[in-house]
Amino acid sequence: MQLVVNILVLASIYALIACGYVLIYRVSRVLNLAHGELMMLGAYLLVATASGLSNSPVAALLLALALSLVVGGMVYLFLMRRMTGEMVLAAVLTTVALGILLRGLILLIWSASPRHPRDMLGWENPVFTLPGDARISLYAGLLIVSTVVVYGALFLFLRFGRWGMRMRAAGQNPLLAAQRGIRLHAVFALAWGLSTFTGATAGMLIALDSGLDSTMVMIGLKAFPAALVGGLDSLAGALIGALIIAAAEVGVIRFIDPLLADVVPFLVLIVMLVVRPWGLFGTREELDRV
Amino acid sequence: MSKPLPAASGHFRRSYADEFRLIETRFARIWATVFTLCLLAFPFLASPFYVDLATQVFLTSIGALALMLLTGIAGQISLGHAGLIAAGAFTAGILFKEFSLPFWVTVPAAAVTGALLGLIFGLPSLRLRGLYLAVSTFALHFVVVYLGGEYETRRGFSTGILVDPPKIFGWEIYAPRTWYLVLLAAAGIALLVCINLMRARSGRAWRAIHSNETVAEALGIGIARYKLLAFVISSSMTAVAGALFAYYRGFVSIEAFSMYLTIQYVAMIIIGGMGSLLGAILGATFVTLFPYLIEGLMSALPGADRLAGSVFAVNYAAFGIVMILFLVFEPQGLVGIWRRLRDYFQLWPFRYRPVGTKS
């Protein structure tokens, strides 16, 4: 039972992060390799607001979330906008460079010592015992809940929202979308903002659950196979992919060798690339468009 | 390909032998000689610190040239370069530690390991293109690094493997000057191999594949064969660079081969200028010297003392900024800047090259 809970928690972490990869890829065909760093930045934003607004923790959390949305939009407006129309590789490498820059800045501002935003906000992290003798901490539970909420909201937004529809249109055919009066830059900026927002949500919840230091980037990287296994342009795929990766990882840690934990997602990724490169739910034509 | 004639020299090729010459004009010959002599004299004139820097540049140049062949020329994106360097270093380290084999065996063995890994890294390229290929090499990087780490922990070398200085003809290579000359020779050989690969059928095939795969195939180029060839050659060169790195440092540890190393190598070929061997060397020089440059700047600037404890972080941030600046404002890299400068002086008082000539 504990195993199932562990898988679910890890899967929701991966799913919450992976939807950021999917959003940006689906809208602008750019693979954002700085997602791990952006997510870490979100968590550090919480540290910053928590030290500023320590008497009103909820406001600190909300402010940090809002800031992360803004940061994501800024990244597009000031950096990635220049890369639209360039080679896809150049855009991807720009995100890599952005990742390094962010990592350096985070180290400069907050230093490498671990932080505990939960203590700063003065919140508890009680552990609940579920039927079947499984244990889950409050924030791990919140992770699962927020994954469900975020995916539900994203689904509704993309399906019925005006801007969501514009985002889908821009992803399907940017030229045609622009011709119909959709402001591509605004749509792309929104996609970057949302993606950073969801990533930061995951980052903050992980930081609240178990503290924060620069190793969080690795979690972001490991979520990437989840997005690709499900299909880089499919949100539903990211959910399934996250479940598969999490199940594989938890299973391997439990039954084979804990040292393998950091490699398993990538092994699954390689298998997927060999068997079905476009992922479980991805569109096949995507491969040629890269 | 037909080589462009040396610029504005009145030089013509009159025989096949002329076509094959590496250095065509007297001007070029004189400068090449002077440059080589300078390189040879350098270790006897400069302080050990600068000799060490130059040696590092040669070492990274080999890896950068290899990546340039693969990514800049054949157009196959690889994000697994650190994994290949690690594979070379570990092959040398393990063969030395477990079987105490000499330098002459371990380095070729590293080349063979690299070639085999290149085959594995390259297989996905037959099905995948662009981003997806990059992702598959990215994933393989983690697998190689895991295997290296596993070996370290299983054998109890968790802090790393110590490698003794190599012996060549009974000579122990230990002094910085000897290392300088050995690695200069190695980098020179690597450069010659690359130049000749570029001039031959393989270079033409790679560039054709880079430009347009479908057309290349229609022209009768064996796509699969040449892609794999690019991966195999590039990887085995990289692995040799890794083995040399192991001997030079005298120490192999998996910590040294993080994702950041791969990014540095990719940065080298971007900053240097895609598709140019000169670019690979310029980029390798720039990226190797960059941390020292930053350190020098920080000690020179007033008020930077309070950042002294975080040189590492400043390095990271500055490196990211430089990479972004090059990607956004100078996609041609250092080679692009060099070409513009050269054209300016060569063409003066005119601005543009005659139609149909390439710089």
Side-chain angles (χ1 to χ4, degrees):
Chain A
M1 203 49 211
Q2 184 66 49
L3 208 60
V4 176
V5 171
N6 285 351
I7 290 176
L8 267 180
V9 170
L10 193 62
S12 59
I13 290 177
Y14 285 159
L16 204 49
I17 304 168
C19 76
Y21 287 108
V22 172
L23 268 174
I24 290 180
Y25 185 83
R26 185 163 163 174
V27 176
S28 61
R29 307 281 155 227
V30 171
L31 183 59
N32 177 18
L33 287 180
H35 196 58
E37 278 87 355
L38 282 170
M39 151 192 162
M40 188 164 77
L41 180 67
Y44 274 106
L45 283 176
L46 180 64
V47 171
T49 55
S51 61
L53 296 166
S54 49
N55 44 3
S56 53
V58 179
L61 188 64
L62 290 179
L63 180 65
L65 281 173
L67 274 178
S68 67
L69 189 69
V70 174
V71 165
M74 293 291 194
V75 165
Y76 178 77
L77 288 179
F78 289 110
L79 180 65
M80 296 315 292
R81 192 159 68 114
R82 295 176 172 279
M83 303 314 290
T84 34
E86 297 272 342
M87 268 171 34
V88 175
L89 175 64
V92 174
L93 289 176
T94 311
T95 65
V96 171
L98 174 72
I100 294 178
L101 172 61
L102 285 178
R103 222 185 285 190
L105 286 181
I106 288 173
L107 272 176
L108 264 181
I109 301 173
W110 286 285
S111 82
S113 54
R115 301 298 180 112
H116 297 281
R118 179 159 42 85
D119 299 342
M120 298 170 76
L121 291 169
W123 283 343
E124 297 292 313
N125 192 10
V127 175
F128 301 112
T129 308
L130 301 179
D133 215 22
R135 298 157 72 79
I136 186 169
S137 67
L138 172 66
Y139 289 97
L142 271 181
L143 259 170
I144 300 180
V145 173
S146 50
T147 303
V148 173
V149 171
V150 162
Y151 269 81
L154 271 179
F155 176 76
L156 291 177
F157 172 69
L158 285 173
R159 185 91 197 156
F160 303 111
R162 180 173 285 258
W163 279 93
M165 216 176 288
R166 287 180 184 160
M167 265 163 98
R168 276 191 294 146
Q172 266 174 15
N173 191 335
L175 186 65
L176 199 58
Q179 292 286 338
R180 300 297 296 173
I182 293 174
R183 282 166 59 198
L184 284 186
H185 285 315
V187 168
F188 288 168
L190 181 66
W192 274 84
L194 281 179
S195 141
T196 311
F197 175 80
T198 52
T201 311
M204 285 175 204
L205 284 171
I206 297 169
L208 283 171
D209 190 31
S210 53
L212 168 65
D213 62 4
S214 55
T215 49
M216 188 180 266
V217 174
M218 195 61 205
I219 305 178
L221 270 185
K222 273 156 65 184
F224 169 64
L228 205 136
V229 164
L232 261 179
D233 58 340
S234 155
L235 270 180
L239 263 183
I240 310 285
L243 260 178
I244 293 173
I245 299 278
E249 193 174 332
V250 171
V252 163
I253 291 175
R254 178 86 168 70
F255 297 111
I256 303 175
D257 180 6
L259 271 177
L260 263 169
D262 281 351
V263 210
V264 173
F266 295 101
L267 285 174
V268 177
L269 172 62
I270 292 173
V271 171
M272 201 63 203
L273 281 171
V274 170
V275 181
R276 206 178 142 93
W278 54 93
L280 288 174
F281 295 90
T283 331
R284 189 165 183 175
E285 53 158 6
E286 294 303 327
L287 270 189
D288 293 324
R289 279 166 68 173
V290 177
Chain B
M1 73 159 179
S2 66
K3 260 190 311 178
L5 280 170
S9 60
H11 176 91
F12 299 102
R13 300 189 187 113
R14 275 163 296 191
S15 63
Y16 281 119
D18 279 354
E19 291 275 352
F20 288 121
R21 271 213 194 121
L22 216 51
I23 302 172
E24 290 190 280
T25 58
R26 194 195 293 153
F27 180 79
R29 197 156 43 231
I30 290 170
W31 280 111
T33 322
V34 169
F35 187 62
T36 317
L37 284 177
C38 284
L39 279 180
L40 286 176
F42 181 79
F44 300 99
L45 302 173
S47 69
F49 174 71
Y50 289 103
V51 174
D52 174 57
L53 275 190
T55 315
Q56 285 183 39
V57 169
F58 296 143
L59 195 55
T60 38
S61 293
I62 304 177
L65 281 170
L67 188 62
M68 187 61 92
L69 273 191
L70 184 65
T71 304
I73 288 156
Q76 307 302 306
I77 304 161
S78 163
L79 289 179
H81 215 57
L84 291 168
I85 297 177
F90 267 85
T91 311
I94 291 170
L95 287 182
F96 171 79
K97 201 77 186 175
E98 307 279 338
F99 309 102
S100 50
L101 290 171
F103 187 67
W104 286 123
V105 182
T106 53
V107 172
V112 172
T113 316
L116 285 178
L117 272 178
L119 212 58
I120 299 173
F121 273 56
L123 278 176
S125 76
L126 305 182
R127 268 192 90 181
L128 305 174
R129 243 176 275 168
L131 224 52
Y132 282 77
L133 175 60
V135 167
S136 73
T137 53
F138 182 70
L140 281 166
H141 160 88
F142 285 97
V143 176
V144 172
V145 167
Y146 163 75
L147 290 176
E150 188 76 338
Y151 170 79
E152 274 185 358
T153 36
R154 285 281 141 85
R155 294 283 296 143
F157 303 130
S158 48
T159 47
I161 310 169
L162 287 172
V163 184
D164 290 349
K167 278 192 173 139
I168 301 180
F169 300 126
W171 268 55
E172 195 169 63
I173 314 180
Y174 183 70
R177 268 180 209 161
T178 350
W179 265 118
Y180 174 94
L181 293 175
V182 168
L183 287 178
L184 173 64
I189 293 171
L191 180 63
L192 271 181
V193 167
C194 288
I195 291 178
N196 280 321
L197 280 170
M198 290 282 296
R199 306 200 294 173
R201 180 188 288 260
S202 50
R204 292 191 294 271
W206 288 336
R207 262 173 300 186
I209 292 174
H210 190 180
S211 317
N212 191 324
E213 243 180 83
T214 319
V215 174
E217 188 153 33
L219 288 172
I221 293 168
I223 302 275
R225 215 180 112 205
Y226 278 103
K227 271 185 179 173
L228 284 182
L229 189 70
F231 269 100
V232 166
I233 289 177
S234 158
S235 308
S236 73
M237 259 174 82
T238 313
V240 169
L244 290 174
F245 173 84
Y247 278 110
Y248 180 60
R249 286 268 173 245
F251 178 71
V252 189
S253 162
I254 205 66
E255 303 290 318
F257 308 103
S258 62
M259 205 58 224
Y260 184 57
L261 189 68
T262 300
I263 296 172
Q264 276 184 313
Y265 273 95
V266 175
M268 283 175 208
I269 62 171
I270 296 165
I271 291 175
M274 277 287 185
S276 148
L277 294 179
L278 175 65
I281 293 173
L282 288 179
T285 314
F286 184 90
V287 172
T288 314
L289 300 185
F290 188 72
Y292 298 95
L293 208 75
I294 291 291
E295 214 171 306
L297 270 180
M298 277 180 60
S299 59
L301 283 175
D305 322 344
R306 52 199 182 82
L307 290 180
S310 42
V311 182
F312 175 71
V314 175
N315 252 325
Y316 248 72
F319 190 67
I321 292 177
V322 167
M323 221 174 136
I324 289 176
L325 287 180
F326 267 97
L327 279 163
V328 173
F329 296 108
E330 188 55 83
Q332 304 269 306
L334 291 169
V335 163
I337 298 175
W338 154 249
R339 278 189 193 136
R340 271 206 305 279
L341 273 178
R342 192 192 53 190
D343 283 1
Y344 180 82
F345 286 107
Q346 234 170 33
L347 299 176
W348 195 86
F350 301 110
R351 294 286 295 279
Y352 302 105
R353 295 202 155 263
V355 178
T357 59
K358 242 178 79 182
S359 57

